[in-house]
Amino acid sequence: MHQLFGQVLGQRDLSRAGDLFSLEDTEIEACLSQALDQIKAISCSQDYLTNDNDQAVVEICITRITTAIRETGSIERHSTALVGLWESCLEHNLTPQGDNTEDTPHTKIASDITSCILQNYSCPSVMVLAVPVAVRFLQSGNRELSRNMSSYLSLAAIAKADLLAEHTKAITLSVLGGNHMLLRVLPSVYPRQPDTIHCQLGNLTAMMSQLESPEQQHLIRLIQIVAEQHPLMLSPQVPALVSYLGDQSLTEALLGSLVDVSQASPSSLVSFLPTLRILGQQCPALLDSCSRRHGLPGVLSGQHGAQLSPHAAAGDQGSHRPLPVFTGGLRQRHLPHEQLVQRDIPNARATAGGEHGHARQGE
């Protein structure tokens, strides 16, 4: 270890700590891992929480070390020691107690290290070490740390989604616990861990009205991917999804997902034809555009067509042609439902549940 580092850390010499910044980065780079290990030992000592001198020494040394790592581009050489110190913070209290809102000593250490580690989200060797620890910080109880982790994990999900996939359950539970920023991660990990997210689809879908618009868009993207890859998993969520169609910012995207569900399970949508008829009256162009974009086969006619498009029922073939909505399969594969819809719409929903398997085979 460099002599000055050895003196500052060995003797907890706060008076010389500032002199570390007079050294060249390359002059101390070789000893940074050793210095980090010594800082870990100091921060884990029994009197660290009450020793202001030691806390100040550690804070200055961490700042000097992280600066040197960035300037020399040596994060891979020192990632093991750096992540080791970072992880050790999880063994201590990270949540302010009582009326005191100041960060705890170990929260300060974790915060100072976080950006140095996670800004290297595109570096696989660093992320292999860092991601499991970052996920644990999501459950630390410190909102600010959790928020910072969420920002970096979102970037990591873009660059290295595979590394996050095995932590899908913890990330999903963090989202459900109120960490909505992590919603942007779920579409990236879903293809690798679909079953984990399927277990929480009901809870995730129920969150829609609680979210801000940017967060809603990430949830919508997840719903779209589920609808494209495993549409039957969304069948139980159809009532909730239909209830959100009244929000104009969500209508088109949700309608597209409902189209995908209807192709896999026509029975799932039969009970909601009256609602879709109202939507067709309000914005027929939207329904027509969505239907054509999803390549729906055929034009719905007869009883269901009349419910979805009053213009079709009236025989108007002008500007409001019969809407190719939710595929002719609703009529062709589920004719008994026409009678149910006419007589008792609530019963139609209950009866439709048993026909999902048949609909899937008919694709």
Side-chain angles (χ1 to χ4, degrees):
M1 184 183 293
H2 189 280
Q3 182 180 0
L4 183 55
F5 250 127
Q7 178 182 341
V8 171
L9 289 172
Q11 301 176 17
R12 319 292 203 268
D13 190 346
L14 183 58
S15 65
R16 296 297 309 278
D19 295 340
L20 291 170
F21 290 91
S22 66
L23 302 176
E24 293 293 331
D25 295 319
T26 54
E27 190 178 352
I28 61 174
E29 189 272 322
C31 74
L32 296 181
S33 287
Q34 189 177 358
L36 286 165
D37 289 340
Q38 193 159 349
I39 289 173
K40 179 181 175 181
I42 294 171
S43 66
C44 291
S45 61
Q46 291 184 352
D47 67 338
Y48 183 71
L49 294 178
T50 57
N51 193 319
D52 293 340
N53 181 84
D54 286 7
Q55 292 176 26
V57 167
V58 164
E59 185 175 346
I60 292 171
C61 288
I62 287 177
T63 300
R64 185 65 190 95
I65 289 171
T66 54
T67 300
I69 288 175
R70 289 190 185 99
E71 294 300 319
T72 59
S74 57
I75 182 63
E76 291 185 87
R77 287 192 292 277
H78 303 293
S79 58
T80 299
L82 193 60
V83 172
L85 173 58
W86 195 44
E87 185 174 21
S88 72
C89 296
L90 288 164
E91 301 172 7
H92 304 275
N93 177 46
L94 299 176
T95 307
Q97 301 297 308
D99 296 332
N100 183 13
T101 58
E102 185 179 354
D103 286 340
T104 67
H106 292 93
T107 298
K108 292 177 181 179
I109 294 175
S111 297
D112 290 342
I113 294 175
T114 295
S115 62
C116 183
I117 296 174
L118 294 183
Q119 69 180 358
N120 296 281
Y121 57 84
S122 61
C123 180
S125 65
V126 176
M127 288 297 100
V128 165
L129 297 173
V131 166
V133 179
V135 171
R136 289 179 62 193
F137 272 108
L138 295 176
Q139 304 163 345
S140 68
N142 186 296
R143 290 186 178 181
E144 185 63 20
L145 280 176
S146 181
R147 187 184 67 82
N148 289 338
M149 299 300 161
S150 300
S151 297
Y152 285 111
L153 288 175
S154 299
L155 295 173
I158 297 172
K160 301 291 177 183
D162 287 343
L163 295 177
L164 286 173
E166 64 183 277
H167 305 288
T168 300
K169 181 176 180 180
I171 291 171
T172 304
L173 292 177
S174 183
V175 169
L176 293 173
N179 190 356
H180 298 159
M181 186 181 296
L182 278 176
L183 276 167
R184 69 186 69 184
V185 174
L186 296 185
S188 297
V189 299
Y190 173 76
R192 297 161 177 84
Q193 292 283 336
D195 291 342
T196 302
I197 293 179
H198 290 164
C199 292
Q200 300 293 344
L201 269 179
N203 292 328
L204 289 168
T205 304
M207 294 173 56
M208 187 74 73
S209 59
Q210 307 168 23
L211 304 175
E212 299 293 333
S213 180
E215 298 163 346
Q216 286 182 334
Q217 296 309 310
H218 294 303
L219 180 55
I220 287 292
R221 181 58 190 140
L222 174 64
I223 290 172
Q224 289 175 321
I225 296 175
V226 176
E228 292 165 4
Q229 298 184 9
H230 302 282
L232 288 178
M233 293 296 103
L234 281 174
S235 291
Q237 314 313 324
V238 166
L241 296 178
V242 170
S243 72
Y244 299 138
L245 289 175
D247 186 333
Q248 293 185 357
S249 65
L250 307 177
T251 303
E252 184 170 3
L254 286 179
L255 197 57
S257 295
L258 288 170
V259 166
D260 290 332
V261 174
S262 76
Q263 290 178 314
S265 174
S267 61
S268 299
L269 274 295
V270 169
S271 299
F272 299 96
L273 292 180
T275 300
L276 297 173
R277 177 182 182 275
I278 295 174
L279 185 63
Q281 290 175 322
Q282 295 173 342
C283 46
L286 173 61
L287 284 174
D288 185 60
S289 172
C290 181
S291 300
R292 284 186 280 104
R293 184 181 300 113
H294 286 259
L296 299 181
V299 176
L300 193 63
S301 61
Q303 175 65 27
H304 288 326
Q307 290 194 53
L308 284 170
S309 176
H311 306 287
D316 181 359
Q317 300 298 317
S319 60
H320 297 286
R321 300 178 60 193
L323 298 176
V325 179
F326 299 116
T327 177
L330 280 172
R331 178 175 174 81
Q332 297 166 2
R333 288 186 282 181
H334 289 269
L335 286 177
H337 285 300
E338 294 191 8
Q339 299 173 1
L340 288 170
V341 170
Q342 294 176 47
R343 185 179 71 246
D344 191 351
I345 288 176
N347 287 341
R349 185 184 308 177
T351 305
E355 302 196 37
H356 288 187
H358 174 73
R360 187 63 174 172
Q361 294 172 6
E363 283 187 309

